[in-house]
Amino acid sequence: MLIPKSITCIKSYTKEQFIKDFISGIIVAIIALPLSIALAIASGVSPEKGLYTAIIGGFIVSLLGGSKVQIGGPTAAFVVIVYGIIEKFGIEGLFIATIMAGIFLIIMGLLKFGSLIKYIPSSITTGFTNGIAVVLLSTEIKDFFGLHMKNVPSHFIEKLMAYFNNFHTINLQSLLISLLTIAIIILWPKLNKRIPGAFIAIITVTLVAAFFKLNVTTIGSQFGNLSSSLPRPNFPNINFAMINELMLPALTIAILGSVESLLSAVVSDRIISGNHRSNMELIAQGFANVFSAVFGGIPVTGAIARTAANIKNGGRTPVAGIVHAITLLIIMLLFIPYVKLIPMASLAAVLVVIAYNMGDWKAFKLVFKSPKSDFLLFIVTFLLTVFLDLVVAIGIGVVLSSFLFMRKMGELTEIKYLLDDDKNKDVSEFIENVKLSDHISIYEISGAFFFGAANKFITVIREMGIPPKVLIIKMSKVPFMDSTAYHSFEMLNDICKRHNTKLIILKIQIQPFAMLKKYGFVDMIGEKNFCSSVDEAIEISNNVLNNQDYNINNIQIYNNTAAES
């Protein structure tokens, strides 16, 4: 259903719920303020661009989204890829990639891809989430310790080497601010759980730094004056060469954004016993990313932590998210001059806490107890995210998981000779009711019959040698077959024709039958040879064996001649 939840919720909206949504929206805005600024800086853009993202993106996600409680904005998951795009293509390239990602998300929603996201294995999502957490931690070392470095390399190993070479430039006052920030974030919830600790921490350390005139880098000293107004719409200069280069990064933003936003929606549904509309959520995320980029923002997605805070504080409709966006706009218009006083070390400390909380560190312990395929997916995705690139990590992770899945499905598909199975009811009926049953073979295919299992079927055909007078293929346990499997059937039919063997297909299901009919195989062997019951197959087998001269000695001679040749 492509109807925003804001339209659905407004029908039964009450004054009491508005008060809850209003309070929750303000609290979430206070949480989002330092996070939006810190994530923008970590991504390599100026602080106000994080606010643009939270205001514009957050407003559109709540207005058009398919979740009642989703809060949209910049998230830590995008830091790595945004930083990489800016480093290679500049800020203009980021805006183009974000618009392209938005268009991809809209198309994904219209094509109803929302439900397909659940098929990405958790080992991949956990792997790249932990990888992002490690990379995010590494990006904040410079500001956390106040190191005097002009440029920080983007690659993980080079970055660590640069920190090691410059660690003698540590600023103890910046380190003090960082540690004080973390201590307040950890301890504050014991005093008050409604007002976010990160907000209190940043206000406190900013006052401490200003009062004691500490020698620390601030937002103002690094970025200069910040704009206190929303920018005018600006459409980047798009050319086909850049579109081609940005296709993969844009697709990665779209996939990452869809996964994170839908995971957030699923988590929130469990808490409030709700039911989000995944395809409408993707469309909303798409429009949010397009408009965020047009107004100078960075990629947008559903923020799990802010969504959970919204639920915790009573938000139950999209009004809370809209209030959150409007509150951030008011704060930006009135208080942006004071933002430049915030020490960079305090923002780095906030991001260190975020990175620690977003990582599923228990996964490293549990992964050794997982199946080998899950272990491989987790490790490969994690290492590629950290040491190479998030785009490469997701791409290789998905491809690898597909191959592993196909291999597993191929292994589960069985082709077996049934006449050795005395316990099989169908086999017992044949033995009791068919004359010359020695000259009948019954094979059963079990499981999905696709290209991953077709080679197994071909091997059985070849090992069969000269086929008997009647060959029965039982397919009651085959829910699906593909074109590769069909070609193996063609090969079998050619062998049966050469040796005057009657081919019977027993108890075939709907999809395989429809496919064989489409390819003309049903007409090729005759629809009467597709039997829905054992009785039909017995009748055809008896007719074949009774009405045709079947010289066992001649067949034996033929076999010997074939073997000698």
Side-chain angles (χ1 to χ4, degrees), residues 106-119:
I106 293 171
I107 293 172
M108 288 164 67
L110 292 174
L111 294 177
K112 299 183 178 180
F113 280 6
S115 60
L116 297 180
I117 302 300
K118 64 185 178 183
Y119 294 111

Side-chain angles (χ1 to χ4, degrees), residues 458-478:
I458 292 171
T459 301
V460 171
I461 292 172
R462 287 173 176 166
E463 290 176 350
M464 181 173 57
I466 303 300
K469 199 63 181 176
V470 178
L471 177 62
I472 299 170
I473 306 295
K474 185 183 177 188
M475 298 183 65
S476 59
K477 297 178 182 178
V478 179

Side-chain angles (χ1 to χ4, degrees), residues 133-163:
V134 171
V135 175
L136 182 58
L137 282 169
S138 71
T139 60
E140 299 310 307
I141 291 176
K142 173 181 176 289
D143 290 328
F144 191 91
F145 290 98
L147 304 181
H148 293 287
M149 299 171 60
K150 289 185 178 179
N151 297 314
V152 178
S154 58
H155 294 292
F156 185 74
I157 296 296
E158 294 176 4
K159 192 183 300 179
L160 294 185
M161 291 177 65
Y163 290 147

Side-chain angles (χ1 to χ4, degrees), residues 93-112:
L94 174 64
F95 293 153
I96 295 172
T98 306
I99 291 173
M100 290 171 62
I103 294 171
F104 285 146
L105 282 164
I106 293 171
I107 293 172
M108 288 164 67
L110 292 174
L111 294 177
K112 299 183 178 180

